[in-house]
Amino acid sequence: KHRKAQACCVQMATCASTQVPGAMVLWLLVVGTLAIRVDSSLADAGVAGQLPPLGKQEHSDHRVIVRYSEMPPGDLDTTEIDKQIQKLKAHPNVVRAQSLPSLGMAVVSLDSAEAGEELMETLQHDSSVELVVPDTWVSAFDLFAGGDSPLDVTAEPNRRLRSQHALPVQCSAHAACRMRGLIGDCCPAKDGMMLSCCSSPGNDLVALQTYGGTYVSASPDGAISQIAGAPQDSEIFEIAFHEDSGVSFRSLYGKYLTADAQGVVRADRAVVTHHEKFEMVEDGNGTVYLKSSFGKYLGAEDLERITADRTNASLWERFRVQPQAVPGQRLPDDPAFSKLWGMHSYHGFDIDAPEAWQVWTGEIGKGITVAVIDTGIDYNHEDLSEQMWVNPMEIPGNGVDDDGNGYIDDVHGADFANEDGDPMDDQMHGTHCAGTIAGIGNNAVGVSGVAWRGVRLMALKFLTSTGSGRTSDAIRAIDYAVAHGARIASNSWGGGGSSSALRTAIERAEGAGMLFTAAAGNEASNNDEVPSFPANYDISNVISVASTTYLGEMSSFSCYGNSTVHVAAPGSGIYSTVPNNGYETLSGTSMATPHVSGLAALVWMYRPQLSMHQVRDIIIGSVRTLPALDGKVITGGLINAKDALEAAWAFDPPNPPAHAPQAIEFEDIDPRIGAYGGVVTITAAADESDIDYYRVYMVSGAGFQLEAVGEPIPATGEPELTMELNASFVPPMYARALVAVSGRASGEMPARLRGLAPHVDIEDYGLPILGPKSVSWIGDPDTKKDFVNGSLLVERATDEASITTYNVYWHAESGARGPMLGSIAAVGFLEPVCSGPSCGLINMSMADDGAYVFEHRPYGDMEDAEIEASGPGNVELTYFDTEDYYDKLTVADMELSGNYTGSLPYTMQLGDGRSSIVWTSDESIPGNGWSFQIRQEGSMAELKVEATKVLGSGFEVVPAYGKNELVSDAIVVEIFGEKGKSQSKGAQGGKRRLSASQPSQSGRNRAPAQKKPPLTSAQAKQQKEPWLRQLDLTSRNSARVVWSADQVEQLSDVAAHHGRVRSSFTVAGLAEQACTLPATRVAYTQALARQLPGVEESGVRLVRVLVPPLEELKDTAPQERMGTVIVEFEIEPSAGAHITDLDRIESKLILLSTSHRAADEFGVALAVALKASGLPPPLHSHASSSGVVFAAPQQLSPKMLAAALPPDAVTEHPGNRRLRGSASPQYI
């Protein structure tokens, strides 16, 4: 009973403990809540004599992510995910299993952490499973205005602005020009776009708006006045920054603004002296004060003129500096554009968006879909609604999953956090990011995104209103984005450790051609040393983004990394859209990332033929280098929209064949539901002069490429080419058609439904497995001659999983089939059926009233069974006595354990669809057993026949799947025989017959999902801490290092090829003098090697041992306090390791960081190792707890490891190239 005693102590520890690491708190709370709910239910039952209220109870949702092996198409019959889902559902304690077909994965929800561990152990022996990874949590990366924001000067009040960094003036020094081999001063492009890269930039043009809303105006004679209305030539000044931090303003008449000692302001000086220079001081409200050389402030209180005679600044001394367009720029008319310093700023440290918009805004492009994987988007926002992606296969508001993708009314995306098709933002983070990517430009409303028009924003919500979410839900969002044609995924989130499941999802999205932008993180730490995921994944479709300020500096909060962070973008004080037609200023790498996503969309719409990798190379290669970013990001630069468009012109796009195959044919001949087999026939192109091969792809209902079918077929000159699918394949959930494309070495034709490539819809030739149990007729002939009235009653098949309709035909006395009378839709009915090793021990019978009776009295050890049945209906509990807490009967969402005999009978409802009743028992103490009855509704179906002309002697009822009928299971009932007695009709040889028409399925209505209202700015500011990733930097930085591995280690061959996993564990209760002894370190190493799969002691590298400050251990028991240490370590697999072995190690470390039981098992192994070394085991205040807590692991690629070592410690290893679930190589 050791495990049981452990669990009981966990419950008590949960109530008593007040300070444990965050990951442990989450696990303890989940387990504690479950235990307390069960125990309190039993207590209530014993006192009140009745069960607590049942119904839908909150289920403890523990998840694992299953990663399936990638197999050649011929082997898909046994390994395809949709086939495996049914196997997963058969495992005990599995609440839900969902396939992610576009990524080759599945997400499995279980009712306990222990069940998750057991499933992981079971699936490790399944050859079709590559890896099982525990789920983790991530969060949004943003901060509310503060620190570096131009709207907040609390950190450095009255901060002066400094001059802009000069750009290179030679073509050879500019990336875009150098890429095209240009030299000289200015170079026109072939398409007429002028490149200004080779000439020095002129100063920006601005207008000075007063507090009263008027503009400072200069006349030709130098007089200064105030003018209402939009600024014209007289209200526009050229702003210049000087080395002494002074700012000057030159009117378009060539004269500089000046102020004399008496406060008179004019614009009549042709040269700049100290009188023409002003000190520009921010006031924290988006406006500035201008102080003259005499220490007086410019003011506009006099409504006719401007003076400079105030020593103290008030409201009238505030001015707003509004950028104005210059030749080569295009500015939008959006009223808040002047607040978008990241797009255009007189400081000069923007992305040069107006210069890019002069060339391209996306308004006349073909469009592109950008998936915003975040907290959702307010798709009704005035500045976003016209840019929202619309699912072409979904009918809005009809309550039906029209496209069959598992989500009802997913018109603008889907909500994976709440399991529905409504991705409305109930936070604000995702809407803010969306506005920066593609807020509608030049519409005189709000703000402008990087891409004015043409972007289709796909809202994929996986973060809740708190800003946190599950890794598994992020993976589901990526799967949806790939299947529905998103080319770019914008990801302003991260946190925790690494997850090989998420990395593999991103790699497989790369295979589909998706660009993945990721926020670097907000911990102000070096990602080369402390990784932040997903930004740190070394995958060639990822762009990691840091944040900059309006002064061209790295934002104080931004993560950085000279080897791991690619580019920087504006992220401090970014103004954008928020829900309910609002606008807010936020800061964070979350705000920087959408600038990159929007730029990628702009570039890709400008040159749609570019590949994903070319778009990525363009963005990375066209940055503007800044001194503050040197050594902080790989490129040392800030993204530049103008230079990116120029570079896009220079790239050679993919060059696919111009000729396409003429036709494709395919007919499924596999009778199994969901499996396809047969011969694909391609009619070759009329001209194959530019074609090397043909390839067949599956495409989604939205028309976008999914995965390939079979191998490429060489172009041989034959008019027809065939590909025989010897073994059936199971298409992804979203697949709707096959497309044949042509290809050659320089490119492949895109696989789209709308294009040159021919397609054929795939229609499943599946046959029902079962037919109706019986058919009867109740009715009489109509009063009119040869007419009939009545009801045809059909007793549904015992399992309707393979039936869509029961087709009803007239039946002639000769045995021939007459015309169709109608059809009855299947509802997924399932008679109760038991599966599992213990079903033979359960007595099953039928009561007189038709109820199904299940009885098991008494029961034994280690039993496992699942009874599945469809609703609506109910389960009536008639007897129940089991060992409390450990022997459980779970009915739908309700878990029963203990003795309920005093509260019976008790009835629980079964909802629509299929429900499971799961029975499990453990070892030792059994109870007396249980019994219950299941009553189902809907087993009989009725087809009313009203005043219908007689066209035969009876009716024939045939089960059908789509248009395919199982005639062998048809039943005939005569309406003029012995009172409608049914007769069975068998068909010869089971020959398939096709019905005359394909039955339609009616939709059903549902109430719209209820979402939480969006957070207000004040609420969001209060709630920001829980959903920002918080590393334990304070604790770790304040901890005292008591031992470290001081030698510089050269990378082993294994680490250089595969990488390592880094983590740490905290252990309490060690003898203080023994914490760092060599023998203790050997025990640490031995315990880790024994607990981690495929690891030898030589693969364990201890990095440091630290002692946390005593003040952080104030709630720890005295005997543990002095012996608490943090052990940092790195792990590499054994020599000859498989590519997935490091992922398995990471997966085990995730389990150790989230599972109390797994951590305790390690604690036992550590105690054994210490004892073997002659050292005392740790002392603990709770006998059931080992006192060990693991941190989330971080998988380090060989590139990251090499970057962290001195150059002489890195050995070049040939062939450092690897594949991780993707067709694209990852270079080290």
Side-chain angles (χ1 to χ4, degrees), residues 379-440:
Y379 44 75
N380 296 321
H381 197 287
E382 61 183 1
D383 230 3
L384 297 173
S385 59
E386 294 180 26
Q387 299 277 65
M388 295 304 301
W389 173 77
V390 176
N391 187 344
M393 306 299 291
E394 197 73 21
I395 301 173
N398 68 349
V400 177
D401 181 13
D402 300 290
D403 57 0
N405 67 358
Y407 298 95
I408 296 173
D409 290 341
D410 54 324
V411 178
H412 300 301
D415 180 350
F416 305 95
N418 296 300
E419 299 289 349
D420 59 47
D422 182 9
M424 176 58 72
D425 189 357
D426 54 6
Q427 209 278 332
M428 76 165 60
H429 189 267
T431 302
H432 195 280
C433 293
T436 299
I437 296 170
I440 304 170

Side-chain angles (χ1 to χ4, degrees), residues 332-335 382-384 386 439-448 453:
D333 60 5
D334 302 286
E382 61 183 1
D383 230 3
L384 297 173
E386 294 180 26
I440 304 170
N442 211 39
N443 66 337
V445 174
V447 298
S448 172
R453 298 277 182 173

Side-chain angles (χ1 to χ4, degrees), residues 868-928:
E868 193 173 14
S870 63
N874 64 67
V875 177
E876 182 180 341
L877 195 67
T878 55
Y879 184 84
F880 198 87
D881 178 31
T882 69
E883 184 191 9
D884 186 11
Y885 192 82
Y886 297 101
D887 300 343
K888 308 170 186 177
L889 188 71
T890 303
V891 181
D893 289 336
M894 182 59 195
E895 185 180 277
L896 305 173
S897 184
N899 189 306
Y900 293 161
T901 54
S903 306
L904 303 176
Y906 189 84
T907 302
M908 296 159 282
Q909 298 299 316
L910 294 178
D912 293 344
R914 299 194 174 198
S915 298
S916 293
I917 301 172
V918 179
W919 162 246
T920 57
S921 68
D922 73 345
E923 296 179 279
S924 68
I925 310 172
N928 290 320

Side-chain angles (χ1 to χ4, degrees), residues 151-231:
L151 304 181
D152 186 351
V153 293
T154 55
E156 297 182 54
N158 298 337
R159 186 177 186 178
R160 294 185 178 187
L161 304 182
R162 67 183 186 184
S163 61
Q164 61 182 359
H165 175 61
L167 292 175
V169 297
Q170 296 298 315
C171 283
S172 60
H174 193 284
C177 294
R178 186 172 63 252
M179 194 178 303
R180 297 174 56 185
L182 301 178
I183 58 174
D185 295 328
C186 192
C187 320
K190 295 178 181 179
D191 56 2
M193 185 179 77
M194 296 297 293
L195 295 180
S196 59
C197 61
C198 298
S199 60
S200 299
N203 292 315
D204 286 325
L205 300 184
V206 299
L208 298 174
Q209 187 179 33
T210 70
Y211 177 74
T214 60
Y215 289 90
V216 176
S217 179
S219 63
D221 62 2
I224 296 295
S225 60
Q226 299 182 46
I227 300 295

Side-chain angles (χ1 to χ4, degrees), residues 828-993:
F829 181 80
L830 173 66
E831 281 188 0
V833 58
C834 186
S835 61
S838 302
C839 287
L841 305 175
I842 300 173
N843 295 319
M844 295 173 275
S845 60
M846 182 76 73
D848 293 339
D849 63 354
Y852 298 87
V853 180
F854 293 84
E855 185 175 26
H856 194 25
R857 301 170 62 182
Y859 63 85
D861 291 346
M862 303 304 293
E863 293 188 353
D864 180 6
E866 178 181 14
I867 300 164
E868 193 173 14
S870 63
N874 64 67
V875 177
E876 182 180 341
L877 195 67
T878 55
Y879 184 84
F880 198 87
D881 178 31
T882 69
E883 184 191 9
D884 186 11
Y885 192 82
Y886 297 101
D887 300 343
K888 308 170 186 177
L889 188 71
T890 303
V891 181
D893 289 336
M894 182 59 195
E895 185 180 277
L896 305 173
S897 184
N899 189 306
Y900 293 161
T901 54
S903 306
L904 303 176
Y906 189 84
T907 302
M908 296 159 282
Q909 298 299 316
L910 294 178
D912 293 344
R914 299 194 174 198
S915 298
S916 293
I917 301 172
V918 179
W919 162 246
T920 57
S921 68
D922 73 345
E923 296 179 279
S924 68
I925 310 172
N928 290 320
W930 45 261
S931 63
F932 61 84
Q933 299 181 4
I934 299 176
R935 291 178 175 83
Q936 293 178 291
E937 301 173 20
S939 63
M940 296 297 295
E942 179 182 9
L943 180 66
K944 289 186 177 296
V945 181
E946 298 178 347
T948 301
K949 184 175 178 60
V950 175
L951 299 175
S953 62
F955 301 113
E956 180 183 348
V957 180
V958 190
Y961 176 79
K963 295 190 294 186
N964 306 321
E965 298 180 334
L966 184 66
V967 181
S968 61
D969 279 24
I971 294 179
V972 173
V973 59
E974 299 290 344
I975 61 175
F976 300 112
E978 300 178 17
K979 295 199 181 279
K981 184 177 179 181
S982 63
Q983 302 174 5
S984 176
K985 175 189 175 182
Q988 296 179 355
K991 182 179 178 181
R992 61 181 174 129
R993 285 168 62 179

